[in-house]
Amino acid sequence: MGDPHRVGVIGLGVISRAYLDTLAGHPEVNIVAVADLDASRSAEVAATIAGAEAMSVERLLARPDVQTVLNLTIPAAHADISLATIDAGKNVYVEKPLAVTFSDGRSIIDRAASAGVRVGCAPDTVLGTGTQTARAAIDGGLIGRPMSASAVMVTPGHERWHPNPDFYYAPGGGPMLDMGPYYISALIHLLGPVRAVTGAASRLRAERVIGSGPRTGQRIPVGVDTHLTGVLEHANGALSTITTSFDGVRTTAAPIEVHGETGTLAVPDPNYFDGEVRLFPLDGTEWRALEPQAGYAKASRGIGLIDLVRADDQRPPRADGDVALHVLETMTSLLRSAAAGQRIELTTVAERPVPVPLTPLEDWKAYAKTR
């Protein structure tokens, strides 16, 4: 193995800890710089990572030794930071969604292609044993020809636990752009790309009340629809229904179910890497759990960046920009469809990512921590 791939991290909010726990000390990755609008936060994080230096965004982007920028800013800043990274001649791996508008997402992919750099994008949860084992079951013919799927995400809203939930309810937020990437990415891995969508949306209330942290009790405005349901027409003829909601309380529905001619699969929550995949065959009498047979075992956030670092000319990154752009167009088209009341055909086509063979923990997470 050559020298570790040098990474700079921009944005050190809540989600950054999960990434840093995976990447800091990994032998294939060297975090050399971190940046945040809060300089004290940058300094605190840098002190926990051997060899990392806290600095401004501008300095980080100008560092010649940074090969890839991990963009963990809020969604509204994803496009600006990603485009600045590309203009600096560096690869970028961005937290989901790729951008908050399809035009911005398109600009990221097109500019990266012109610059000859790579784009990767979360979610990488779909590379774990949950979604990948379900995919292996479908590809192995355990449910026959897949005909349809359902995906359901219902929660009363992130303001109950997040101390600064404003961006979830501002333009670019909402349950579809926030949680839709997990479910739609999983559906693409399971059933392939989407060719057209139809959506409908609603908004339960005009304000939300923050439930934790120093702003507890503060009211914030809701500027987006908070419940969206839609139909995805896949290129292979399968139909998926999806519901994402910040207006419900709880559901007993499986996060994802895939129905085929000879069986049904219950797929675990794509917001997580693992979970039990269950099969009910046509001639069966009960659900049967499947042993993990594909995916990165016991994976955690950041595995998508490691997968990108390991990619080559023969095997492209699995959590890549083309899939992220297709997911973004699917989501934004659902929102447009809901507003216009019409079916929308998509303009992007993404190849179904290469499946992940069953990869034990020790094969992808060979830590060499010094702190």
Side-chain angles (χ1 to χ4, degrees), residues 125 130-131 152-153 179 182-183 254-256 267-276:
T125 49
T131 299
V152 180
M153 191 289 302
M179 298 300 292
Y182 298 105
Y183 293 82
I256 296 177
V267 184
D269 190 339
N271 192 20
Y272 300 96
F273 287 88
D274 49 19
E276 186 176 75

Side-chain angles (χ1 to χ4, degrees), residues 69-85:
V69 168
L70 175 57
N71 179 1
L72 301 180
T73 57
I74 63 172
H78 283 182
D80 287 344
I81 295 298
S82 293
L83 289 170
T85 299

